[in-house]
């Protein structure tokens, strides 16, 4: 398949700039894998489509205020860092603007000295491996000097930083939110549990590789950036028990989906952690997923390719055309679809 096969026309006014209140008031398109039906609901209606014994798998990663602004030590030139992921100890992979100022050995200061950085190497794709030093915990420092790394298509200021976090976010480490989960409120989750639906947690720290444009025409030639994941024992046991009972495993978001299918690709579902660069596109054989809740994604992105793999290419593109005609809100703060 060609990357251009996944293009669709999206009017700019349909790109959601602010989140809706309450969280679960966004719209929900409900799709069936075994039919062509399309239903238009609200997200709080998701409970009507869940059955006792099903399990929802959510990504509990928490976005860090990863965008920091500083100066180059020797010249005072302004610099912007976007911390992508912690490699080990004080070493981080980082996106730097402007990159020409960040050669190996260059040193920078952020937050009037609260954080120092030195460039250790330049990666093949132009990112920087940097050494970060600060007097206190790095995450506490970032809370003081960092900004939430909203995607570039969101141009309005976010008044409440927690609106770019899921209500169940816990494990610090993402450079972007797992946005399908933004629709859930604690009250809705309580109602879902009361219906007999279990909720399991995985962690996948979202890097910008998930959103990196596909620059090759042949989809199969695209290489995904690797991201760290963890599947705990409680979640592995829950998935196996759900499958054994003949019930559904429903992933909330493409990140949860990629975590589950990465683990399944190695054999049985069991506790593990590591890095995954799994790329799911049409032709992929799903081993775990019975359902997917996800937002509406960018044209020609790896995410719309993943949805097409699960729901079918023709039906996915039809659903997106319908979403545009019906004035759904798109991307991170937009509406959602449930494929069941």
């Amino acid at each position: 398949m060609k990357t251009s096969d996944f293009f669709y026309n999206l009017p700019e006014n349909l790109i959601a700039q602010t989140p809706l209140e309450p969280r679960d008031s966004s719209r929900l398109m409900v799709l069936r894998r075994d039919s062509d039906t399309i239903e238009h609901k609200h997200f709080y209606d998701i409970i009507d489509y869940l059955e006792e014994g099903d399990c929802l798998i959510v990504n509990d990663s928490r976005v860090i205020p990863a965008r920091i602004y500083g100066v180059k030590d020797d010249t005072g030139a302004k610099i912007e860092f976007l911390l992508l992921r912690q490699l080990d100890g004080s070493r981080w992979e980082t996106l730097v603007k402007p990159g020409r100022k960040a050669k190996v050995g260059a040193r920078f200061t952020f937050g009037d000295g609260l954080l120092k950085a030195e460039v250790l190497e330049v990666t093949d794709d132009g990112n920087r491996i940097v050494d970060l030093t600060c007097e206190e915990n790095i995450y506490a420092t970032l809370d003081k000097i960092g900004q939430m790394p909203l995607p570039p298509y969101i141009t309005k200021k976010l008044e409440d930083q927690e609106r770019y976090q899921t209500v169940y976010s816990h494990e610090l480490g993402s450079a972007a939110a797992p946005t399908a989960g933004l629709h859930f409120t604690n009250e809705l989750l309580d109602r879902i549990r009361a219906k007999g639906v279990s909720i399991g947690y995985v962690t996948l720290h979202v890097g910008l590789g998930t959103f990196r444009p596909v620059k090759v025409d042949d989809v199969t030639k695209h290489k995904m950036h690797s991201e760290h994941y963890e599947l705990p024992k409680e979640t592995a046991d829950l998935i196996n028990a759900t499958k054994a009972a003949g019930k559904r495993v429903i992933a909330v978001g493409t990140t949860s989906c990629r975590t589950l299918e990465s683990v399944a690709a190695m054999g049985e579902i069991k506790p593990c952690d590591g890095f995954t660069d799994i790329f799911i596109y049409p032709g992929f054989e799903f081993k775990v997923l019975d359902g997917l809740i996800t937002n509406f994604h960018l044209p020609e992105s790896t995410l719309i390719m993943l949805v097409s793999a699960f729901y079918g290419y023709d039906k996915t593109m039809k659903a997106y055309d319908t979403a545009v005609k019906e004035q759904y809100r798109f991307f991170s703060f937009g509406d959602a679809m449930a494929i069941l």
Side-chain angles (χ1 to χ4, degrees), residues 69-71 73 108-116 141 144-145:
Y69 297 90
V71 294
D73 287 2
F108 303 91
T109 297
F110 302 86
D112 295 326
L114 289 178
L115 181 67
K116 298 276 191 177
T141 301
K144 292 179 180 177
I145 67 173

Side-chain angles (χ1 to χ4, degrees), residues 280-337:
I280 297 175
Y281 53 88
F284 182 87
E285 292 187 15
F286 290 84
K287 296 180 173 64
V288 184
L289 243 63
D290 301 302
L292 176 66
I293 297 170
T294 187
N295 280 18
F296 292 91
H297 304 294
L298 275 72
E300 300 183 336
S301 64
T302 61
L303 303 179
I304 192 174
M305 294 173 188
L306 183 154
V307 173
S308 297
F310 187 67
Y311 183 50
Y313 171 77
D314 290 335
K315 293 204 295 184
T316 297
M317 301 313 290
K318 177 187 174 185
Y320 269 71
D321 286 343
T322 301
V324 171
K325 290 174 184 173
E326 295 291 330
Q327 301 277 292
Y328 274 69
R329 301 165 78 247
F330 280 68
F331 306 163
S332 295
F333 287 143
D335 298 316
M337 60 166 59

Side-chain angles (χ1 to χ4, degrees), residues 29-172:
M29 179 183 286
V30 182
L31 307 167
R32 299 288 186 178
R33 296 176 76 196
D34 59 359
S35 75
D36 292 329
T37 61
I38 297 178
E39 295 179 77
H40 303 288
K41 300 289 184 176
H42 287 91
F43 196 82
Y44 49 72
D45 295 317
I46 188 68
I47 193 167
D48 297 332
Y49 296 88
L50 302 176
E51 301 167 3
E52 183 178 355
D54 288 344
C55 74
L56 288 179
I57 303 299
V58 303
N59 181 6
D60 66 3
S61 182
R62 186 168 175 82
V63 186
I64 59 175
R67 181 169 278 122
I68 54 176
Y69 297 90
V71 294
K72 192 176 183 187
D73 287 2
D74 57 356
T75 66
K78 293 181 178 180
I79 198 81
E80 175 189 334
F81 277 22
L82 179 59
L83 307 184
L84 299 179
R85 60 174 173 147
Q86 188 173 21
L87 300 176
D88 54 66
S90 59
R91 292 171 63 249
W92 286 72
E93 183 174 358
T94 306
L95 193 65
V96 178
K97 292 183 187 178
R100 67 181 184 278
K101 297 184 186 300
K103 295 181 171 60
V104 172
R107 295 172 181 268
F108 303 91
T109 297
F110 302 86
D112 295 326
L114 289 178
L115 181 67
K116 298 276 191 177
E118 180 182 357
V119 178
L120 301 178
E121 63 178 279
V122 180
T123 66
D124 292 341
D125 54 8
N127 294 342
R128 268 57 175 176
I129 307 301
V130 300
D131 181 67
L132 300 181
T133 56
C134 49
E135 293 202 0
E136 57 182 340
N137 177 284
I138 179 63
Y139 295 112
T141 301
L142 291 175
D143 277 341
K144 292 179 180 177
I145 67 173
Q147 295 184 15
M148 202 60 75
L150 293 178
Y153 50 76
I154 294 178
T155 56
K156 290 190 177 181
K157 183 181 179 182
L158 181 62
E159 298 299 332
D160 178 7
Q161 299 296 306
E162 279 300 308
R163 283 303 272 109
Y164 195 57
Q165 307 278 13
T166 62
V167 296
Y168 46 75
S169 65
H170 179 68
E171 299 293 333
L172 286 164

Side-chain angles (χ1 to χ4, degrees), residues 27 52 122 133 164 179 231 235-236 238 282 323:
R27 295 170 73 188
E52 183 178 355
V122 180
T133 56
Y164 195 57
T179 54
L231 178 73
T235 304
L238 172 61

